[in-house]
């Protein structure tokens, strides 16, 4: 449908990622178009976007894409799940109502998969940060002045195993583990609110002077579509983790977005946290084979 | 060390369970002694307790037990994990400091196991609700006017599988599942605060008019010591679940305590929730064998 040399279309939600990606693509000499979602995309980006569209105005969004004839589409930045009724109405042009109703009962995974399918049916390949800007991903190894100690290492291992075992369920891209105790598993509330929870658990159980020394562990689920759903950390994550009394953050290297890396690492150093890029463990099936 | 006809000693924490158990034992003609923990046991019970002891005054607690020569000891009611430093000091009389320090880094499971071992070393068998008052446990089947529908059944199945797969980790006696979406997994914050979280997720995503129809699923972990750590629900759980917009509650039958059963079931009926006792699924290992 479109020429291979068509632009990259960025469907832009909240946060700094859409702008970072647009900058990088332009600097690399690639043509790109930004479709900003009203109420989500940051004001600065929205002002220079090629189109500003309501999240639920699927018809207009698709019309823009068909006009631009992109060689690839990328979904960048955060979008909140809108109210069920509104989604049903908006999408009913394209999909059977019952099918959509079923979809809403499922996890974010399935919803995103629906969007990706819709775009690819229209002949627009969906790509992600891994393809377009891999330099935004967490490198392997210790990134900070502080390095994880033995007990942090075992907490990290337990956390990675836990997240792996949660892969079949549509939940849990992150957990907080202290020693062998799991302090929290992330649900749809997101990392920030999970860390706030850990902070209040910490207060009830431990004296305020004794940091509980847990680790925030983030890794994608097995089978997760990394083009549209990548674990991410940034400066705010570090501040929250420090407030919760954690000793550090471990993320799946090459599979976790680090927003504003310099600031993120700088804040880790300021608060005395470690930041580690790790290789997630092989699957249970692999282990059985090995 | 003690005669087989010695009394049952109840180590009483917070909530109604210790008193319910004392009542039932006395009605069944069994002699019992209550050791109430200061700051935890309810005032009414504390007033008629045989001893009131600080949670960390292990020496006095053991002295009471040795005087009573109980034929069995039971731990009933809630206790909050005290500050790490205080525990270390209190227990250092009995246990190597390093060993205790390791213990504090572990989950509640391990801590309770330590207490049970200590009591049994002293020749006092530890028993639980299953042995002393099985009538307080959830029966199998639907307990309410409302029965779970097909989508609730699949949410319950998913929840039970999830909890089973979390068994190796010291977390998760409960989860909330809606359709195939896991809305929350319980950490050390407890069921009430998990339900409050689900309530606020619901607000962000769905219109307030549409209940999200999730199910609270509670079941013990595989290998959990049911004598000292039993999942529990009660009237407060029902109120919280109703506020979170859930359609019902499913608990492992014969393995979940239902406090104030009449009131709990009455509140379910009032709020239009179902209450179901279910048989947890067999373990993954059993499935592989089958």
């Amino acid at each position: 449908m479109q020429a291979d040399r068509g632009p990259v279309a960025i469907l832009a939600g909240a946060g700094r990622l859409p702008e970072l990606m647009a900058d990088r693509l332009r600097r690399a000499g690639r043509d790109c178009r930004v479709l900003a979602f009203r109420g989500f995309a940051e004001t600065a980006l929205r002002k220079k976007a090629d189109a500003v569209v309501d999240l639920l105005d699927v018809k207009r969004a698709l019309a823009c894409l068909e006009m631009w004839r992109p060689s690839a589409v990328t979904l960048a930045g955060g979008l909140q799940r809108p109210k069920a009724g509104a989604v049903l109405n908006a999408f009913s042009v394209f999909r059977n109502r019952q099918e959509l109703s079923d979809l809403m009962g499922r996890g974010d995974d399935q919803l995103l998969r629906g969007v990706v399918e819709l775009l690819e049916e229209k002949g627009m390949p969906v790509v992600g940060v891994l393809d377009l800007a891999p330099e935004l991903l967490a490198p392997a190894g210790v990134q900070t002045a502080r390095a994880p100690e033995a007990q942090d290492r075992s907490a990290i291992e337990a956390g990675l195993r836990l997240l792996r075992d949660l892969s079949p369920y549509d939940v849990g891209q992150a957990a907080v583990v202290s020693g062998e105790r799991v302090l929290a598993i992330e649900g749809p509330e997101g990392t920030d609110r999970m860390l706030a929870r850990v902070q209040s658990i910490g207060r009830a159980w431990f004296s305020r002077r004794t940091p509980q020394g847990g680790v925030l562990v983030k890794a994608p689920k097995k089978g997760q579509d990394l083009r549209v759903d990548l674990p991410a950390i940034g400066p705010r994550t570090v501040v929250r983790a420090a407030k919760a009394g954690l000793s550090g953050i471990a993320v799946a290297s090459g599979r976790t977005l680090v927003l504003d890396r310099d600031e993120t690492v700088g804040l880790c150093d300021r608060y005395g946290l470690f930041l580690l890029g790790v290789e997630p463990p092989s699957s249970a099936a692999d282990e059985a084979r090995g």
Side-chain angles (χ1 to χ4, degrees), chain A:
Chain A
M1 175 181 167
Q2 55 278 101
D4 263 356
R5 291 181 308 279
V8 175
I10 300 178
L11 306 190
R16 305 224 330 107
L17 181 62
E19 186 156 22
L20 284 172
M21 285 184 72
D23 283 353
R24 265 155 220 265
L25 287 169
R26 280 174 187 141
R27 257 187 263 159
R30 289 192 73 171
D31 189 17
C32 79
R33 297 274 188 288
V34 175
L35 185 151
F37 288 114
R38 204 187 315 273
F40 292 100
E42 293 193 350
T43 316
L45 180 67
R46 220 161 55 225
K47 281 187 181 154
K48 50 186 180 180
D50 301 279
V52 181
V53 175
D54 280 330
L55 181 57
L56 293 175
D57 194 349
V58 185
K59 232 170 172 170
R60 243 203 96 204
L62 280 178
C64 283
L65 291 176
E66 277 164 8
M67 192 173 64
W68 297 339
R69 300 177 164 268
S71 58
V73 178
T74 187
L75 285 74
L79 295 172
Q80 237 184 336
R81 186 186 269 241
K83 290 181 182 175
V87 174
L88 289 181
N89 287 331
F91 276 83
S92 56
V93 195
F94 303 96
R95 283 274 188 273
N96 167 306
R97 243 188 116 84
Q98 183 54 46
E99 206 180 72
L100 272 167
S101 180
D102 293 348
L103 206 63
M104 286 303 293
R106 298 183 173 215
D108 290 341
D109 267 17
Q110 254 94 347
L111 265 184
L112 278 171
R113 210 165 292 160
V115 172
V116 169
E117 273 171 23
L118 183 70
L119 289 169
E120 301 205 318
E121 272 170 28
K122 301 267 168 193
M124 293 177 264
V126 172
V127 296
V129 180
L130 274 79
D131 312 286
L132 298 177
E135 65 278 16
L136 296 175
L137 301 172
V142 178
Q143 311 296 312
T144 43
R146 179 171 176 178
E149 290 165 27
Q151 64 173 10
D152 299 318
R153 293 271 180 191
S154 61
I156 294 165
E157 270 173 42
L160 290 171
R161 277 199 313 272
L162 170 73
L163 297 180
R164 179 198 68 194
D165 289 353
L166 281 174
S167 270
Y169 305 95
D170 202 348
V171 69
Q173 274 196 354
V176 177
V177 185
S178 170
E180 291 174 32
R181 296 193 69 209
V182 179
L183 297 181
I185 299 173
E186 184 182 315
E189 76 281 4
T191 305
D192 287 354
R193 285 173 65 187
M194 175 184 65
L195 289 174
R197 186 158 90 235
V198 171
Q199 191 180 345
S200 65
I201 295 169
R203 273 206 204 110
W205 281 351
F206 296 86
S207 81
R208 297 189 115 220
R209 292 275 180 82
T210 321
Q212 52 188 55
V215 182
L216 168 65
V217 183
K218 289 198 89 162
K221 290 186 280 266
K222 216 177 99 188
Q224 182 167 325
D225 188 339
L226 298 173
R227 294 172 302 169
V228 291
D229 188 16
L230 207 55
I233 62 163
R236 203 171 49 187
T237 319
V238 178
V239 175
R240 291 276 192 179
K243 278 192 185 165
L246 303 194
S247 57
I249 300 171
V251 298
S253 61
R255 277 160 171 57
T256 308
L257 195 60
V258 184
L259 294 165
D260 300 307
R261 193 189 300 180
D262 291 346
E263 197 188 340
T264 299
V265 172
L267 279 170
C268 280
D269 285 337
R270 190 165 126 201
Y271 288 114
L273 269 65
F274 65 80
L275 174 58
L276 175 74
V278 282
E279 189 65 34
S282 58
S283 73
D286 292 343
E287 274 174 19
R289 241 178 276 132

